[in-house]
Amino acid sequence: MSIDWDRRHCARKGHITYAPDELRLRSRLHASTAVGEVWRCLRCGDFVLGDPHGTGPADRAPLVPRGRALRDLFILRFLAIERILRGLLIVVAAWAVWKFSNSQDAVRKLFEDDLTAFKPVADHFHYDLDHSPVVDTIRKTFDYKKSTLQIVAAALLGYALIEIIEGFGLWWAKRWAEYLTVVATAAFLPLEVYELTEKVSYFKIGTLALNVLAVLYILLGKRLFGLRGGHKAFEAERRSASLLEVKEAAGETGEPLEPLPVRPRTAADSS
């Protein structure tokens, strides 16, 4: 059973109605009932009781995401959530590195004391803690300069802010956020490929695949950097979609449209 995403979205966010100036369109979007006037929703097509949310020329109707556009918005918001969550995790990592840089000696002493306490247990299982790769890696971090760790923390924080800004921009479907996402994500793709050459894991493969798909989807689907007609074609598509949505919702078949007659202004209008 397929899901009607248009009606599902209207059920959550509410309907959007519009009264176009063109007579034929207005008559097909409007009806009178025993309980009052109803207007057809531009997203789901259902008739809604009450006054329209807006009025004006059909080509100035609101750009209501529906069908494919609604699915595109869902994908952008999925990417937005992923970016925001990743940014928050990196903020935690930056805080941990900064905290460690300010208490490096204390952490080293605590680690060595705990290591001494666990050494009899390791000897019992014939495990050499002094030459353990994990222990060697931890000890190397204690040799990093405080200034180096603080630079790493600042870099992590800057990267986290970029991810969070990307996330909120994608959630609101801002075009600058799409550019930022493509540039920032593409810049780190070589690093992700290099990490795979060092050690392969399903998590790294999944992350790389998600980022590549996100770059291609936004780059081509949103016509960035002049692709597929660029920004001009993208805006023309958006503006034509407004009139198209009104026609589709109204069942327009292509007849000439007649604007509403202009009523002469009278003294009563000024009072």
Side-chain angles (χ1 to χ4, degrees):
M1 180 180 177
S2 61
I3 299 176
D4 190 333
W5 291 102
D6 293 336
R7 284 190 170 88
R8 183 189 179 103
H9 193 83
C10 283
R12 293 177 57 246
K13 301 295 185 179
H15 298 284
I16 297 179
T17 55
Y18 187 77
D21 291 343
E22 294 80 3
L23 278 175
R24 287 192 178 92
L25 289 181
R26 179 181 283 243
S27 63
R28 287 172 178 151
L29 288 170
H30 171 263
S32 298
T33 67
V35 294
E37 294 185 340
V38 292
W39 292 88
R40 199 169 188 180
C41 176
L42 295 181
R43 179 181 289 115
C44 68
D46 290 343
F47 281 97
V48 183
L49 184 66
D51 295 330
H53 296 114
T55 184
D59 59 357
R60 291 289 180 251
L63 296 172
V64 182
R66 57 183 303 201
R68 180 179 177 180
L70 196 59
R71 291 193 296 271
D72 288 346
L73 183 59
F74 173 80
I75 294 173
L76 285 180
R77 290 189 169 178
F78 170 79
L79 294 174
I81 293 173
E82 185 269 337
R83 291 299 192 273
I84 292 173
L85 291 178
R86 184 195 299 183
L88 293 177
L89 288 175
I90 297 174
V91 168
V92 173
W95 176 84
V97 172
W98 177 81
K99 193 73 174 177
F100 173 72
S101 69
N102 290 325
S103 55
Q104 203 169 351
D105 293 337
V107 175
R108 183 203 295 267
K109 185 177 184 305
L110 181 63
F111 175 77
E112 295 295 345
D113 290 344
D114 289 342
L115 195 65
T116 302
F118 280 104
K119 191 170 184 180
V121 179
D123 291 341
H124 177 75
F125 290 99
H126 306 287
Y127 186 81
D128 189 2
L129 279 178
D130 291 331
H131 298 89
S132 169
V134 176
V135 173
D136 288 341
T137 301
I138 295 175
R139 279 174 170 162
K140 286 179 181 179
T141 61
F142 294 134
D143 295 330
Y144 293 151
K145 294 180 180 179
K146 181 179 179 179
S147 58
T148 301
L149 292 173
Q150 289 177 339
I151 292 174
V152 171
L156 287 173
L157 184 60
Y159 179 53
L161 290 177
I162 292 175
E163 292 289 291
I164 293 173
I165 291 172
E166 279 182 34
F168 282 106
L170 289 176
W171 182 271
W172 292 318
K174 298 297 184 181
R175 193 162 178 84
W176 60 260
E178 296 166 358
Y179 275 101
L180 179 60
T181 300
V182 167
V183 173
T185 305
F188 284 95
L189 288 179
L191 179 60
E192 294 181 12
V193 173
Y194 174 76
E195 289 180 350
L196 277 176
T197 62
E198 294 292 317
K199 184 178 180 180
V200 178
S201 68
Y202 290 113
F203 177 77
K204 291 180 180 179
I205 294 174
T207 301
L208 177 61
L210 176 63
N211 287 334
V212 170
L213 289 175
V215 169
L216 292 177
Y217 166 75
I218 298 176
L219 191 63
L220 297 175
K222 301 300 181 178
R223 304 171 186 262
L224 303 184
F225 299 104
L227 295 178
R228 300 179 59 215
H231 181 69
K232 185 177 180 179
F234 177 75
E235 286 298 324
E237 184 180 48
R238 291 180 67 222
R239 293 312 319 170
S240 63
S242 175
L243 177 57
L244 178 62
E245 286 176 356
V246 175
K247 287 186 176 181
E248 288 178 349
E252 178 61 46
T253 58
E255 304 98 328
L257 301 179
E258 298 177 4
L260 288 176
V262 178
R263 181 172 62 87
R265 188 177 178 85
T266 63
D269 295 326
S270 304
S271 59

